[in-house]
Amino acid sequence: QVRLVESGGGLVQPGGSLRLSCSDSGITRDNYAIGWFRQAPGKEREGVACISTGDSSTYYGNSVKGRFTISRDKATKTAFLQMDSLKPEDTGIYYCVGPTCGVNEFDTWGQGTQVTVSS
């Protein structure tokens, strides 16, 4: 059974930084993709970033390119989303997803973590 456990998030001022973590377990394939989506109140869910566990290739949504960095520690099977230069519009619930980073409708989603960017 695939399980994704998230941590991190919280309240930060505009321009600040936060780091999210997502630890995965139960994924039996060698190569897979882990990432984050986010959802703000009244808005559609938006893809934020993904990373391939095989070659560590990455994908970023246009709104976060240059500010967010996704990485993964293979030893601990933990992905990280470093979020810098945060803006109020980055506010929302961030969900970790895998093992196809949301492409497959049967992917597993984490419990979600709240990120609030406000002064």
Side-chain angles (χ1 to χ4, degrees):
Q1 181 180 357
V2 177
R3 187 172 183 228
L4 302 175
V5 178
E6 301 181 57
S7 62
L11 172 64
V12 66
Q13 292 186 342
S17 298
L18 283 174
R19 189 175 82 157
L20 306 182
S21 301
C22 175
S23 296
D24 68 81
S25 61
I27 299 176
T28 57
R29 64 183 73 177
D30 291 334
N31 298 320
Y32 52 96
I34 293 289
W36 275 270
F37 279 65
R38 68 185 180 188
Q39 188 159 23
K43 293 186 177 181
E44 292 187 357
R45 189 173 291 183
E46 174 189 12
V48 177
C50 294
I51 186 167
S52 170
T53 65
D55 60 5
S56 297
S57 58
T58 57
Y59 157 85
Y60 294 96
N62 287 334
S63 61
V64 306
K65 283 181 181 177
R67 300 187 298 120
F68 291 11
T69 303
I70 190 169
S71 60
R72 186 174 180 270
D73 185 322
K74 291 187 177 182
T76 61
K77 295 187 177 182
T78 301
F80 302 97
L81 184 67
Q82 178 66 40
M83 305 184 292
D84 298 318
S85 302
L86 282 162
K87 304 175 181 180
E89 51 264 44
D90 293 318
T91 296
I93 301 176
Y94 284 66
Y95 298 92
C96 181
V97 60
T100 71
C101 206
V103 172
N104 189 308
E105 64 179 304
F106 300 110
D107 262 10
T108 296
W109 294 78
Q111 78 276 16
T113 186
Q114 178 71 45
V115 171
T116 303
V117 185
S118 175
S119 55

